[in-house]
Amino acid sequence: MATSTQLPPGPSGTVSRRAITWVHKNLFNSWFNSILTLLAVAFVAWIVPPIFEWAFVNATLTPTIEACRAVSGACWGFVNANLRLILFGVYPYSEQWRPLLAMIILLGVIVASLASVKYPRLQKFVLPMWVLGIPAIAILMWGGMLGLTYVQNSSWGGLPLTLILSTIGIVFAFPLGLLLALGRQSDMPAIKTISVVYIEVIRGVPLITVLFMASVMFPLFLPEGVSIDKLLRAQIGIILFTAAYLAEVFRGGLQAVPRGQFEAGDSLGLSYWQSMRLIILPQALRLVIPPTVNSFISMFKDTTLVVIIGLFDLLGAVKLALRSDPAWTKYYVEGYAFAAAIFFLICYSMARYSAYLEKELRKGERR
Amino acid sequence: MSKTQQAPGGVRSKGLADYLNDENVRAVIYQIVAIGLVILAGWYLVSNTLDNLERQNISTGFGFLDLEASFGISESMIDYTPKSNYATALIVGLLNTVKVAFLGIVLCTIIGTIFGIARLSSNWIVRKLATVYVETFRNIPVLLQLFFWYAIIPGAFPAARNALQPIPDVLMTNRGIYVPVPVADNAYEFMGIAAILAFVIIYFMKKWADKRLDATGQPFPVFWASIGIFVGLVLVAYLAGGAPTAMDIPKLKGFNIQGGYNISPEFLAVLIGLTVYTSTYVAEVVRSGIQAVPSGQWEAADSLGLKRSVSLRKIILPQSMRVAIPPLTNQYLNLTKNSSLAVAVGYPDLVSVSNTTMNQTGQAIEAISIYMAVYLGLSLITSLFMNWFNKKMALVER
């Protein structure tokens, strides 16, 4: 692996010769590898053409059931015909520009926040963007003011719901997780115990049980007459759950800050909160940006679990579209593939971003 | 706050403000406030809950566990009928959870290790294929994958009447896969005892072989000897038990298949979904574990003239285990917890059975606290075991 000697591309090496060298080195460098290569090529030849034919060659985009019955391949017409149902759920048809706009604002704010790691000039805009963005999204989604009709949140759905649940989840889980991480690191036994018990209990149970607790038990907790709707309960469940995981991410960051930094804060006569705010947390949080992005990815994927308690996020909306007309029911593969593609696109780009950040941040440490 | 800070030293009597600024006093106050808040919140929730329960006429407590469950469970590892009580139903659910989680852990470890090693292969195409597998399946939500497999599995096989028979007596239908199982016989109990006995003997043999290796440097083929002992003992027990050959073979009767052991589509969907999803994470853990082993170790193995496969097995993998075990534990725990998603495709796991119980009895708090406690317990047992294993594998510095 590390011992491989790179041949310098000599002036006599033509393109085809270099190609042969490459093939020899990367595909046929031993009898075992040669067999593997042949097997892998056979596998690709076996699996890729049928999928390609199914998805593109024999497929149709025409949004009618007749067109779908006529082809042997994929019925993208199902997605085409139900696109707005899949993307926006049962949000009133004529008002769907509102969730679209809300989604664009949300994505813009997220992208700008992520980019601010690389472009420090953006940093001072991050907080104002969130402070303005979240109410704007709320107004767009709910309406009931500025001439927008009121849409109750039981009609929210699709991709905007997925994005909102996960973003609001992380925005509120962030400070809670930070407090829990500080609590766990604290010298005060009572506060430490409370934090540890909370973190370990929540991390020890599946998200779905937390969601069931939020949807079934939570109403019992409230005094008579007070009720919180299902979406908000799910959101609270997601926040409580994510906070426990983020707390462990932050703990890692806090542990990685050298002791001397804490002592430096003390010797300056700073109070606990001052030295946390000015010295420790900026360093600790910077260290854990990549795992925080990873937490965001997993919570984005986990948001699909709200389907189980009857909310229609992107995945739920696909199921809704499949059920909307019995004729469409058999085109589940297309529906799931479409949803999978969206999730993949978002999660994969975040994962690449996280990997890039890791490299970028390490570059800063190497001097 | 600023006032008291202006007088750091000086001789003057201590006022209340000084006490409040004393770190220890403050710590006590913070803690009292924190405990107080927790107790207050707890009391508030409990009193509201009790009020609500009283108003809705729901009794509290676990008395319902003795009542007749009167609902069917599609698959069960122990005797269960709708006449059994709720406690039995919950145990059935728990066993189903353990079954799918255990098999999932074993399979995802094997598949994940293969893909993790493949991602580091010197073979370009193998490396790329492994990367595509890992990146695809880890970036698609596991619930979507479960839905997908559950949608595709029943559709992939024909109805019972036209069941596929890839191997004689194995029937593949849209109701799952039916495999023949041996009819119960004493010989199988003997075989079980023989297997346990074999493990004990293997344990002591391994100890002896390690000791001999340390003392004399002579290796002993522990792996092959273990297989020999295990197969031999079990075979002897089988023959001594009278070598029963009666099999319960699945057969089409009417419109359904009778006999044999049914692997249901629900179980398959959950198992495949969890295994594929978690194996991508295991692959990454294995890959980073291998990469964490200094390349000098490869070179040392090369210079000893070891084959690459031998160096991987004897030198690299054991060292990478040290790095890999803690994150691997997390993945096992994740898989176990994710098995609760079985409820979405109708596999009767613990959560699914508890939810039915909850809907029938209205005992929401009890049902939810039962499964939360069980998952906590499972998590705790897994991490205790893995911590023990981790300690055993950890580098012993002399």
Side-chain angles (χ1 to χ4, degrees), chain A residues 91 98-99 101-110 129-143 148 156 160 163-164 167-168:
Chain A
Y91 204 88
R98 283 158 52 184
L101 188 58
M103 201 162 75
I104 292 170
I105 294 176
L106 194 54
L107 284 175
V109 173
I110 294 171
M129 272 192 308
W130 284 103
V131 170
L132 291 175
I134 290 182
I137 290 163
I139 292 170
L140 277 169
M141 293 300 291
W142 262 303
L148 301 169
W156 299 8
L163 286 173
I164 289 174
T167 314
I168 303 294

Side-chain angles (χ1 to χ4, degrees), chain A residues 84-85 88-101:
Chain A
R84 286 177 67 167
L85 180 59
F88 299 113
V90 292
Y91 204 88
Y93 197 80
S94 58
E95 303 289 322
Q96 283 178 359
W97 61 272
R98 283 158 52 184
L100 182 67
L101 188 58

Side-chain angles (χ1 to χ4, degrees), chain A residues 26-27 29 33 37 188-190 203-204 206 208-209 212 216 220-224 245 301 304 332 344 347-348, chain B residues 31 44 48-49 52 55 122-124 135 138-139 141 143 147 151 277 281 308 337 340 355 364 371 375 379:
Chain A
N26 290 291
L27 298 177
N29 57 3
N33 259 334
T37 301
M188 297 177 255
R203 275 161 35 94
I208 188 70
T209 64
F212 275 132
V216 182
L220 290 175
F221 289 159
L222 297 173
E224 194 182 359
Y245 281 80
K301 286 185 290 180
T304 50
Y332 50 82
F344 177 82
C347 295
Y348 185 69
Chain B
Q31 296 189 67
Y44 177 73
N48 276 335
T49 310
N52 285 323
R55 208 161 351 92
S122 61
N123 188 321
W124 181 84
E135 292 295 358
R138 90 198 220 113
N139 284 312
L143 184 63
F147 282 152
Y277 183 74
Y281 286 89
R308 265 192 108 64
K337 284 184 281 172
S340 61
N355 277 355
Y371 60 59
Y375 280 106
S379 297

Side-chain angles (χ1 to χ4, degrees), chain B residues 25-68:
Chain B
V25 177
R26 264 210 229 174
V28 172
I29 295 174
Y30 282 147
Q31 296 189 67
I32 290 173
V33 170
I35 294 173
L37 281 176
V38 170
I39 290 176
L40 209 66
W43 175 80
Y44 177 73
L45 296 181
V46 169
S47 71
N48 276 335
T49 310
L50 290 179
D51 279 356
N52 285 323
L53 291 177
E54 201 175 334
R55 208 161 351 92
Q56 295 169 18
N57 264 329
I58 302 173
S59 59
T60 47
F62 290 91
F64 71 98
L65 287 175
D66 273 336
L67 303 177
E68 186 183 306

